[in-house]
Amino acid sequence: MPQHKLTLSTSLDRRKHNFWPWLWGGIALIITAIAVYALCRNNEYDRISEAEPISMAELGMQEWSDLEALTRQSLDNDLFDDLPDTIPDETNTNTDPFLIKGKISRNQTLFVALKNHGLDVADIHQVITAMQDVVDFKRTKPGDTYEVHLDVDKRILKFVYQISPEDISIAERKDNAFVAHKVDMHKKTERIFVRGLLTNSLYQSFRELGESGELASHFMQLFKYDIDFASDSQRGDEFSVLVDKVTLNGNFYKYGRVWAATYTSGARGKHLEAYYYDTDEEYSGYYDATGHALKRTFLKTPVVGCPVSSPYNPKRMHPILKRVRPHNGIDWACPTGTPIMAFADGTVTFAGWKGGNGNLLVIEHAHGYTSIYAHIYAFPRNIKPGVHVKQGQVVAMVGNTGISTGPHLHFGVKINGKYVDPALINTQYSYALTGNRLHAFTQSRDKYRLAMTDKPAAEQTAKAK
Ligand SMILES: [Zn+2]
């Protein structure tokens, strides 16, 4: 700017000899300076200058579609106003002309939902009246599913209403009326122990042991502060988990609490242990073998199960421009729709479109930390500037918006306004148990350890080979 002032004062000295060229030159300079300043300000996060993404095959992502299904499953769809069109609605895949499957949408009553299928209004009334004996329709909510079985004249034969897999009611036509009953559900919780060796991926390894990929997801969540499974795990690593498994009428329903888990990577000399300390609210949670809380101030990664496609590199030479254009963040290749979690507790300061970043999210944390998430597909409805978020809370979905050649998360961290390598952020222990608490924890840890050396585990391991 000093040269700029100099130009103006010179122009004033000579104004009587050569007034117009100097005036226009001065104005042009001022406009240029303002434009450059504005551009720099606007592009605070624009200097992402993404690297060429690595192909899925190179990243060894065989589990792509599985992972996509899994991450969707763990996502509360109701948080999002508009889901990507690519997410299939499984209720529309039915081709049986005598069967209608549907889902109650927001602001829709069951009556309207059924009427929209062109069903006989008198039938609908009869079904709903009969169902009122077993279903509390005040408790029903968007997302509840139903099935209508029809005869050749499109009259209702049977109606099934599901509030949850545990709460299913059926109304059936008997002569000219409908009779409703609740389906008897036998819920059983069993504590199981699973141990195995990593084959291709954690998902696949758990499935080879007869467990669902959902358990792999729980497992990864547990150690998310200590290991990035997408890049730090390898074939032959050993895992074990003690978990409650819930069945409904003998069929797998869901997993309950994970009580203990271990992960050992021989090649990397890494051994991780997690034990659930079941006590009062404040201290209950997962601890390592020495009583240090697994939860840290910062997550290891804001996305789970995605490989790094481009690391942080402040001295990166731009392949086209042939000069230093820093990559001031980490890129993770994830399918569109993968949930992004808040890196730490904090306050949203920006959530919206920002040039080459596409949809951008910025969260401010304590101690001068800021986390930045770019190329987002969609934000949950409640994510907007000023909103407080908790660590691990789903704050966005991975997308491919802005200047981006494939779905990925660009993630940056600033400390007091300066970019730092997110991979090097100190993941301090939150706290450690002491005194009586540590004593009680140690006792329960030993109880879990004993349960994990039980015989069924050996059988599980044998089955894995
Ligand atoms: Zn990037």
Side-chain angles (χ1 to χ4, degrees):
M1 297 307 163
Q3 293 128 310
H4 192 207
K5 274 186 190 151
L6 194 74
T7 314
L8 272 184
S9 61
T10 316
S11 82
L12 286 174
D13 291 343
R14 294 180 186 181
R15 63 191 293 183
K16 48 185 160 181
H17 306 294
N18 221 339
F19 177 75
W20 290 109
W22 283 106
L23 179 71
W24 289 120
I27 291 171
L29 256 170
I30 294 168
I31 291 171
T32 311
I34 292 171
V36 166
Y37 175 74
L39 214 69
C40 288
R41 262 189 71 97
N42 260 329
N43 287 339
E44 193 185 346
Y45 302 110
D46 271 351
R47 283 173 292 160
I48 282 177
S49 84
E50 298 290 27
E52 271 299 299
I54 302 166
S55 77
M56 285 300 105
E58 280 176 85
L59 294 167
M61 287 293 288
Q62 300 124 323
E63 291 292 291
W64 197 244
S65 55
D66 285 346
L67 189 64
E68 194 167 13
L70 260 164
T71 48
R72 293 280 160 69
Q73 193 180 313
S74 60
L75 199 71
D76 183 359
N77 283 352
D78 205 39
L79 280 174
F80 293 87
D81 269 330
D82 301 297
L83 287 171
D85 298 333
T86 50
I87 296 182
D89 182 1
E90 67 271 40
T91 55
N92 286 339
T93 53
N94 156 54
T95 50
D96 183 347
F98 303 111
L99 178 67
I100 295 169
K101 285 184 175 184
K103 201 183 267 186
I104 304 288
S105 38
R106 211 167 284 140
N107 304 321
Q108 192 185 42
T109 62
L110 177 60
F111 181 82
V112 171
L114 296 180
K115 199 165 166 276
N116 288 348
H117 291 294
L119 299 170
D120 184 81
V121 174
D123 268 7
I124 299 173
H125 271 299
Q126 276 196 311
V127 162
I128 292 178
T129 308
M131 282 298 243
Q132 269 162 352
D133 295 337
V134 288
V135 180
D136 179 5
F137 282 110
K138 282 188 226 78
R139 274 186 53 238
T140 60
K141 59 192 183 314
D144 285 358
T145 59
Y146 56 86
E147 264 180 40
V148 193
H149 299 253
L150 305 167
D151 66 8
V152 282
D153 301 321
K154 230 188 163 191
R155 301 292 300 269
I156 301 173
L157 285 177
K158 183 175 158 186
F159 177 75
V160 183
Y161 195 80
Q162 176 169 328
I163 293 173
S164 78
E166 291 174 65
D167 191 343
I168 301 172
S169 302
I170 296 177
E172 276 171 295
R173 187 189 285 276
K174 289 262 158 71
D175 304 320
N176 263 334
F178 282 91
V179 182
H181 71 276
K182 230 180 215 339
V183 177
D184 233 349
M185 286 294 174
H186 295 288
K187 192 170 158 185
K188 201 175 137 197
T189 302
E190 202 184 353
R191 194 166 296 183
I192 60 153
F193 179 49
V194 183
R195 181 165 60 202
L197 298 174
L198 198 74
T199 50
N200 277 336
S201 72
L202 207 54
Y203 295 100
Q204 205 174 318
S205 306
F206 271 98
R207 276 208 306 268
E208 281 166 12
L209 293 166
E211 300 302 329
S212 126
E214 193 191 322
L215 188 55
S217 203
H218 289 325
F219 190 89
M220 295 207 297
Q221 283 288 330
L222 212 56
F223 292 120
K224 67 187 172 194
Y225 298 96
D226 296 285
I227 184 165
D228 176 5
F229 283 98
S231 52
D232 300 338
S233 62
Q234 59 190 70
R235 195 180 289 259
D237 287 359
E238 200 184 324
F239 59 88
S240 71
V241 58
L242 186 69
V243 61
D244 282 349
K245 193 173 182 176
V246 186
T247 53
L248 280 178
N249 291 352
N251 298 315
F252 172 71
Y253 171 34
K254 62 178 183 182
Y255 293 100
R257 165 116 38 234
V258 170
W259 296 100
T262 67
Y263 190 85
T264 309
S265 170
R268 291 177 193 250
K270 210 167 189 148
H271 179 70
L272 304 170
E273 289 177 51
Y275 301 97
Y276 187 76
Y277 181 35
D278 199 4
T279 180
D280 51 90
E281 268 303 303
E282 200 186 340
Y283 288 92
S284 62
Y286 292 98
Y287 294 83
D288 70 9
T290 59
H292 285 90
L294 290 194
K295 187 173 154 56
R296 315 284 163 78
T297 313
F298 298 100
L299 294 180
K300 191 163 172 79
T301 60
V303 280
V304 174
C306 304
V308 172
S309 56
S310 178
Y312 177 83
N313 185 356
K315 296 207 172 90
R316 190 174 74 96
M317 193 59 83
H318 196 279
I320 297 157
L321 300 174
K322 298 279 185 242
R323 56 192 165 89
V324 176
R325 283 287 304 268
H327 184 236
N328 42 31
I330 298 180
D331 287 351
W332 279 284
C334 326
T336 295
T338 303
I340 300 170
M341 297 171 292
F343 192 47
D345 290 2
T347 307
V348 173
T349 56
F350 188 88
W353 191 265
K354 190 98 175 175
N357 299 282
N359 281 319
L360 181 78
L361 174 70
V362 182
I363 303 175
E364 255 170 42
H365 311 286
H367 313 300
Y369 282 76
T370 307
S371 58
I372 297 138
Y373 315 74
H375 312 306
I376 285 165
Y377 181 87
F379 299 102
R381 224 173 307 119
N382 56 344
I383 296 299
K384 47 188 105 162
V387 165
H388 187 82
V389 292
K390 298 296 273 177
Q391 184 198 54
Q393 183 183 332
V394 174
V395 287
M397 272 181 175
V398 169
N400 188 24
T401 57
I403 301 169
S404 167
T405 46
H408 78 284
L409 170 65
H410 170 95
F411 176 66
V413 174
K414 282 180 172 182
I415 303 178
N416 297 324
K418 282 203 148 133
Y419 279 110
V420 293
D421 185 353
L424 299 182
I425 286 169
N426 195 2
T427 49
Q428 296 279 348
Y429 287 125
S430 296
Y431 53 89
L433 295 171
T434 54
N436 287 342
R437 291 187 188 280
L438 181 61
H439 183 70
F441 166 76
T442 308
Q443 282 185 324
S444 53
R445 176 203 67 191
D446 292 344
K447 200 179 73 195
Y448 296 140
R449 277 181 170 171
L450 203 65
M452 291 171 93
T453 51
D454 273 357
K455 208 168 171 268
E459 285 162 12
Q460 285 276 22
T461 313
K463 214 170 90 186
K465 284 167 187 169

